[in-house]
Structure formats: C-alpha cells, structure tokens
Amino acid sequence: MSEQTQASTPRIVQRGLYFEEFVEGAVYAHAPGRTVTEADNVLFTTLTMNTQSLHLDAAWSAQTEFGERLVNSMFTLSTMVGLSVAQLTQGTIVANLGFDAVRFPAPVRVGDTLYAETLIAGKRLSSSRPGQGIVEFAHTMRNQDGVVVAEASRKTLMLCLPGA
C-alpha cells in the first residue's frame, strides 16, 4: 500500500466504552463464547496454587456427588469478566474497584461452552477523580444449555470521553 493510500485509509482501533457511552439498564451480550478445556482447568488450578482435589484428582472426584472433576470457580469468574473486556473496558478502564455478590449456582465441567452478558446496573461520575466515573456491572454467565453458572456485581473506575 502506498503512503498516500495509507494516509487516507480510516484506522479503527477496538476499544471499550467511555463512561458517557454506557447505557444504564442496557444488557451487553458478549461474543464469542468460550469452550473450557481440561488444559484450561489444570493450568489455571496449578498456576493459582489451588490444589483442591475436586479440580485435579479424577479418581477422588469420581467419588463425589458430581462424579467428575469440576472447573475451578475462579477460572469461571475470570472468564466471565474476560469475555466482557473487548466490548466494555478495553483501554478505557482505570481500575477494578471490587466485586460483590459473586455466586456459582451451577458447576462448570470440562467441555462446557460459556457465554456472558453484562447489565449496566448503575453509573456516576467520580467525586474525587475528575475525568473518571464509576460503573457498576452485573455480570451473568450461562453454559451451552442456558443454565446460569456464575453471577457477580463489579464496580470499575472508567475514563470519561477525552475532552468531556
């Protein structure tokens, strides 16, 4: 491509939303989904030093009420938030402020495909940080059968639109 063509070609960079762009009460559906592999579960579990037999020991887990190993719930939480990043916070988040009401109403198993959506539960300008605002997300994750496997409320500090 010539320099002249490059200069006239629009360049679109993927980013999250700025504070003003969030629509309170809107639900953002995140795509694509994420199919969980055994490698995901074992790697995440061992990297985080969570040596719970329910995640690592197939023989032990077979004797539980679940009959098999389950996916580490912290992997589930991380994936739920991760699925929202490209659409909501990529390059526009300042910081996570905290999580509340984290729930795992159903287990995740290797081979499940996970889908997430986020409700914008509230937002307000920061009283102490000009040019930034606080957004409250209500994240929900479902498996391929539509069963809710995770929920969490999260508050984030977000950038306002440049020049706003």
Side-chain angles (χ1 to χ4, degrees), residues 126-132 160:
S126 172
S127 57
S128 61
R129 299 181 67 113
Q132 299 176 1
C160 289

Side-chain angles (χ1 to χ4, degrees), residues 80-99:
M80 180 171 62
V81 171
L83 286 170
S84 75
V85 168
Q87 189 175 19
L88 300 180
T89 63
Q90 179 67 46
T92 55
I93 192 172
V94 177
N96 274 318
L97 299 177
F99 288 82

Side-chain angles (χ1 to χ4, degrees), residues 103-123:
R103 293 182 351 101
F104 303 103
V108 174
R109 293 173 166 81
V110 168
D112 281 352
T113 300
L114 305 175
Y115 300 93
E117 64 183 32
T118 302
L119 166 72
I120 307 307
K123 68 180 212 176

